[in-house]
Amino acid sequence: MSLQKHEMPSQAPDVRNKNFYEVTLGYTAETAIDEAKRCLNCKNKPCMGGCPVRIHIPEFIAKVAEGEFEEAYHIIQQTSSLPAVCGRVCPQETQCEQKCVRGIKGEPVAIGRLERFVADWHNANSCDLPVKAEPNGHKVAVVGSGPAGLTCAGDLAKRGYEVTVFEALHLAGGVLVYGIPEFRLPKLIVQKEIDNLIALGVKVETNMVIGRVLSIDELMGEYGFEAVFIGSGAGLPRFMNIPGENLKSVFSANEFLTRVNLMKAYKENSRTPVFHAQKVAVVGGGNVAMDAARCAKRLGAEEVSIVYRRSEAELPARAEEVEHAKEEGIVFRFLTNPTAILEGENGLVSGMTCIRMELGEPDASGRRRPVEVPGSEFTIDCDAVIMALGTSPNPLIKNTTKGLDTQRWGGIIADERGQTSRPGVFAGGDAVTGAATVILAMGAGKTAAESIDAYIRSKHQ
Amino acid sequence: MYPIVKKRELNPTVTLMEVSAPFVAKKAEPGQFIILRVDEAGERIPLTVADFDREKGTVTIIFQIVGGTTERLNHLNEGDGIHDFVGPLGEPSHTEGLKKVAVIGGGVGCAIAYPVAKKLHGQGAEVHSVVGFRNKDLVILEEEFRAVSDVYKLMTDDGSKGEKGLVTDALKALIEAGNAYDEVIAIGPVVMMKFVSLLTKQYGIKTVVSMNPIMIDGTGMCGCCRLSVGGKMKFACVDGPDFDGHEVDYDEILKRASTYKEFEAREREAACNLFKKEVK
């Protein structure tokens, strides 16, 4: 049996960096069956321990090995509401696959790729609608339709709750639709997963900014929701507070990605404009920075560089995304920190002054702290800058909900079960932790659904 | 879909629409805005709430046809629907405790100034309205303004209606005549707000301006609408749109507003051509 995972076919780097089609193409049925046979079906299932939503991994893989793809899907669906998404964007290398026994000698089983295959197969071949649960007569509101909210909504609907999801934008999906680009996560797939939830009975109300149009108190008062889950994410972009940051061709990654992904500004017929730059500097080293850089390249920029103040080893982005970015021609400038953005003609960017950094002692997070090298300033030639420095929770809900305790930086305080300082109000995902990953948000949504179920049951005993 | 229940052309380039949006109508306050998307492929544009009827569940918007999207919006009629209509967004204008106020409106900005004047009048304040237009054909909301104003000064650039001159000329005259305003509220083109602020600064009169930078989401998640106020970065969609007129960096705003000029010109032409074809 092979020590390596089966390769997943993908578009060639110099082809894909000019289009927005999905980079990786997925397994065929034959490859999926072959890969599934690499699973040893361990008794103690360590892989499951690495999955935040605890998918029954060996069981679904056994069904794939037998060619029973629809049955495999039903096993995944018991615990996960968004398998086509997770199979694509989870960092499996630090989760399920990290715990895989086959990884001790050789490569782990490609759990993510198999999950993706099963979900895609179901979406392409099955017309079965999910079976709605028997209604239990209780109403729950979910604020935000990102991964945390969708997972919470799906789990509650499966238990018979009448769930309404309130979304501020015109499309549901949160970061899955406005943040992660089409070439990593096709939007049709996200829509399909949301349609599956709607078939389960979940109502999705778009264009509803909770905190403005309705408050949490109104939801729980006159609208009769017995519990509320807040999964409003961390969408408030950070800037550096350096000179020149308000120049015309300086963007937050959120703005740039929202234009490109949600508003589809990369398409010829989109009515939302996006700035087409020749030389783009993206500041930051996370997945969002990689996404922004790769989008800029696809929009036709000659040169796109990632400007990061630490070294390659500290990059917070997934290794696979960094690899993909490099293959597509993205330049990396490590140990470099911007100090000012320079103004050229018409209020546009003409360059960026940076300073060299070196790594000092480890900080509280355990990463070595970058320290400026005195007198090492230099200028990067660029005509646009994208700031991908992370985001914080939006203060709108905090400011309009009395008695909801938050951290000083804005995160909602919730215990490990998702309970906030307000009875009946639960929270999870980036709204609680600050910007993190899709799968952690889904795990938090799942846990909160269990807590909400227990809370409502306890009230009616 | 949000149905258009009434449409009225206020002048050749400015249109009023009353849109059925009960949730927005229930909460909207003067100074707040909405974001709309005309159709499935449309961009999101911000428009200020010009009026609302909580009983009927309608919100009034007044817009000037300046580009592709407003051209397409103007092409819709009563009974048609607007694809997305979200709000109310932004902070309401602060009107509490004001006894005597000068409300300055420029062009289509009068549509935003009017609900503020109406609210002030409703709470018993003395309202002096100064409105400015390029010429007599562009004048809007004259009756509405007169009804809520103790003083109404109409200015046109060419003198074809009211007095010839700029709103700043009229405001200066009113101040010099001894009117002690608690506050001046100026809403209109950025250049107008800049010059009103420069004028009132000389007299030390607190001045509030309503900013209208480029926006996408309108909920604070992208920072596209950022501006400098007193040297600090603010997001107009959540911190504003009202700001202290003496603290705003107008020149920066003027530059940022031109970011997509070329794209916008192309879009406008595309929209115009589309509708020309339909007419034939």
Side-chain angles (χ1 to χ4, degrees):
Chain A
M1 181 133 316
S2 169
L3 287 178
Q4 259 89 50
K5 286 180 187 178
H6 285 72
E7 284 291 325
M8 188 157 54
S10 61
Q11 287 193 66
D14 60 340
V15 173
R16 70 181 191 237
N17 68 8
K18 294 170 191 69
N19 69 53
F20 278 81
Y21 299 117
E22 193 169 17
V23 167
T24 53
L25 304 171
Y27 280 164
T28 60
E30 294 72 33
T31 320
I33 291 172
D34 262 8
E35 179 66 26
K37 287 180 178 160
R38 292 184 63 232
C39 174
L40 301 171
N41 206 354
C42 310
K43 217 181 226 166
N44 58 350
K45 308 173 178 36
C47 51
M48 274 183 71
C51 173
V53 297
R54 297 190 63 82
I55 291 174
H56 300 287
I57 294 166
E59 286 170 49
F60 99 75
I61 291 182
K63 291 294 175 195
V64 176
E66 293 165 20
E68 302 283 353
F69 304 139
E70 186 63 12
E71 284 181 36
Y73 178 78
H74 288 303
I75 293 168
I76 295 175
Q77 211 218 0
Q78 287 167 16
T79 54
S80 170
S81 299
L82 309 166
V85 172
C86 287
R88 287 176 165 80
V89 305
C90 274
Q92 289 99 6
E93 66 275 14
T94 60
Q95 295 178 337
C96 53
E97 293 182 18
Q98 191 187 35
K99 304 277 171 77
C100 176
V101 169
R102 290 209 61 125
I104 300 168
K105 279 186 196 162
E107 287 186 338
V109 175
I111 301 167
R113 293 173 187 176
L114 289 173
E115 181 188 20
R116 164 184 168 159
F117 167 79
V118 168
D120 287 355
W121 191 92
H122 168 83
N123 286 340
N125 296 293
S126 170
C127 305
D128 297 353
L129 287 176
V131 184
K132 277 192 197 179
E134 196 63 38
N136 67 12
H138 298 291
K139 279 171 71 178
V140 178
V142 170
V143 179
S145 67
L150 291 178
T151 303
C152 185
D155 278 23
L156 288 168
K158 285 176 196 164
R159 292 167 202 254
Y161 288 92
E162 188 187 330
V163 185
T164 307
V165 178
F166 295 97
E167 167 57 45
L169 292 172
H170 59 264
L171 264 186
V175 76
L176 307 177
V177 293
Y178 77 74
I180 303 176
E182 183 79 15
F183 57 80
R184 279 218 290 142
L185 180 63
K187 300 309 150 215
L188 272 176
I189 285 167
V190 179
Q191 192 53 51
K192 185 86 193 180
E193 302 269 50
I194 290 166
D195 290 345
N196 286 338
L197 287 177
I198 292 170
L200 274 176
V202 172
K203 274 188 243 161
V204 179
E205 300 279 356
T206 53
N207 293 331
M208 294 290 272
V209 184
I210 301 304
R212 291 275 188 217
V213 71
L214 289 175
S215 66
I216 301 284
D217 291 286
E218 285 170 310
L219 288 174
M220 298 184 76
E222 54 185 299
Y223 291 89
F225 290 101
E226 291 168 67
V228 176
F229 173 73
I230 304 172
S232 48
L236 197 73
R238 292 197 199 115
F239 286 89
M240 294 188 80
N241 294 315
I242 57 173
E245 232 171 351
N246 286 355
L247 289 171
K248 267 159 53 170
S249 47
V250 180
F251 308 94
S252 75
N254 264 14
E255 176 188 346
F256 184 70
L257 291 172
T258 300
R259 285 178 182 277
V260 173
N261 301 323
L262 179 71
M263 307 311 297
K264 305 207 178 323
Y266 64 90
K267 288 190 175 169
E268 198 58 33
N269 64 356
S270 172
R271 292 191 209 124
T272 301
V274 67
F275 192 85
H276 289 262
Q278 289 309 306
K279 290 186 176 176
V280 183
V282 179
V283 184
N287 287 321
V288 174
M290 302 305 137
D291 286 344
R294 295 170 72 193
C295 282
K297 187 81 189 176
R298 282 162 171 78
L299 288 173
E302 279 163 29
E303 186 190 302
V304 180
S305 57
I306 295 272
V307 177
Y308 183 54
R309 62 192 182 131
R310 290 182 160 102
S311 71
E312 179 155 13
E314 287 82 21
L315 275 176
R318 280 187 75 185
E320 187 183 305
E321 301 309 326
V322 175
E323 216 39 59
H324 280 155
K326 283 185 181 168
E327 286 168 8
E328 288 168 15
I330 310 295
V331 178
F332 284 76
R333 302 171 192 266
F334 294 112
L335 293 165
T336 303
N337 205 27
T339 52
I341 303 169
L342 308 172
E343 179 167 357
E345 278 174 51
N346 300 321
L348 293 164
V349 172
S350 65
M352 185 163 74
T353 311
C354 298
I355 190 160
R356 295 243 174 261
M357 309 294 276
E358 55 189 19
L359 292 180
E361 293 300 308
D363 63 13
S365 73
R367 292 188 301 176
R368 293 176 66 191
R369 192 193 301 272
V371 186
E372 290 184 357
V373 178
S376 65
E377 286 90 349
F378 64 102
T379 300
I380 291 176
D381 186 21
C382 58
D383 57 1
V385 176
I386 299 172
M387 291 292 179
L389 308 158
T391 50
S392 344
N394 190 308
L396 201 49
I397 287 178
K398 172 190 92 176
N399 292 348
T400 54
T401 312
K402 280 202 190 92
L404 186 69
D405 293 346
T406 55
Q407 314 273 5
R408 246 194 329 194
W409 49 268
I412 296 170
I413 298 174
D415 67 15
E416 71 284 359
R417 306 298 303 158
Q419 173 68 57
T420 69
S421 55
R422 282 272 305 259
V425 179
F426 299 78
D430 289 3
V432 169
T433 57
T437 62
V438 167
I439 191 66
L440 282 175
M442 291 181 57
K446 190 169 199 66
T447 306
E450 287 163 12
S451 302
I452 289 170
D453 183 43
Y455 165 79
I456 290 178
R457 278 170 189 280
S458 72
K459 275 208 321 185
H460 292 275
Q461 257 167 12
Chain B
M1 280 290 191
Y2 300 79
I4 297 165
V5 297
K6 193 168 128 190
K7 180 183 175 185
R8 187 153 62 95
E9 284 178 6
L10 300 184
N11 76 31
T13 62
V14 176
T15 302
L16 173 150
M17 275 181 185
E18 218 176 291
V19 181
S20 177
F23 277 109
V24 187
K26 206 171 158 193
K27 285 287 174 69
E29 291 290 343
Q32 289 189 299
F33 65 95
I34 57 98
I35 287 213
L36 65 76
R37 218 158 61 104
V38 174
D39 54 36
E40 188 77 56
E43 62 173 339
R44 296 167 66 94
I45 62 158
L47 288 171
T48 308
V49 171
D51 210 345
F52 47 82
D53 187 326
R54 304 214 199 277
E55 309 273 279
K56 273 166 69 189
T58 59
V59 175
T60 303
I61 49 171
I62 294 176
F63 59 92
Q64 184 162 27
I65 303 156
V66 290
T69 295
T70 42
E71 188 85 58
R72 284 183 160 88
L73 180 60
N74 191 49
H75 206 67
L76 298 179
N77 290 306
E78 286 173 15
D80 291 339
I82 296 174
H83 202 281
D84 296 288
F85 194 89
V86 56
L89 301 169
E91 289 294 318
S93 297
H94 295 292
T95 52
E96 304 80 41
L98 297 176
K99 298 276 183 287
K100 186 168 180 173
V101 184
V103 177
I104 319 296
V108 75
C110 290
I112 312 169
Y114 166 66
V116 180
K118 182 177 159 188
K119 185 169 185 191
L120 284 163
H121 176 74
Q123 65 193 42
E126 185 179 339
V127 179
H128 292 191
S129 298
V130 179
V131 296
F133 301 92
R134 283 212 312 281
N135 61 53
K136 67 175 187 339
D137 298 328
L138 301 178
V139 175
I140 57 168
L141 300 174
E142 185 176 353
E143 288 315 306
E144 287 85 347
F145 258 110
R146 282 189 191 280
V148 299
S149 307
D150 298 275
V151 171
Y152 177 77
K153 289 264 176 207
L154 172 62
M155 309 296 288
T156 49
D157 293 0
D158 62 358
S160 52
K161 189 165 188 187
E163 283 174 44
K164 184 177 159 83
L166 302 171
V167 290
T168 38
D169 302 331
L171 177 62
K172 187 168 184 191
L174 284 167
I175 296 169
E176 301 269 283
N179 286 296
Y181 297 114
D182 299 336
E183 195 170 299
V184 169
I185 299 175
I187 304 166
V190 175
V191 177
M192 182 208 92
M193 294 191 281
K194 176 181 171 176
F195 282 101
V196 168
S197 299
L198 286 172
L199 174 72
T200 56
K201 196 160 188 181
Q202 296 169 23
Y203 298 97
I205 305 169
K206 187 184 172 192
T207 299
V208 172
V209 293
S210 176
M211 302 318 298
N212 50 359
I214 302 174
M215 286 189 191
I216 305 175
D217 61 287
T219 63
M221 63 171 256
C222 83
C224 177
C225 65
R226 65 192 187 274
L227 67 164
S228 300
V229 181
K232 290 209 175 82
M233 186 190 287
K234 297 281 180 189
F235 290 2
C237 73
V238 288
D239 301 317
D242 290 358
F243 292 101
D244 181 338
H246 297 152
E247 299 273 315
V248 168
D249 183 341
Y250 296 98
D251 296 338
E252 182 184 278
I253 289 165
L254 284 168
K255 274 185 198 160
R256 286 187 63 80
S258 69
T259 309
Y260 300 102
K261 224 172 171 177
E262 286 164 33
F263 180 95
E264 285 160 357
R266 276 202 307 279
E267 258 301 292
R268 170 149 206 201
E269 209 186 314
C272 289
N273 288 340
L274 180 74
F275 297 132
K276 258 187 245 156
K277 252 182 258 162
E278 274 181 23
V279 174
K280 281 174 199 165

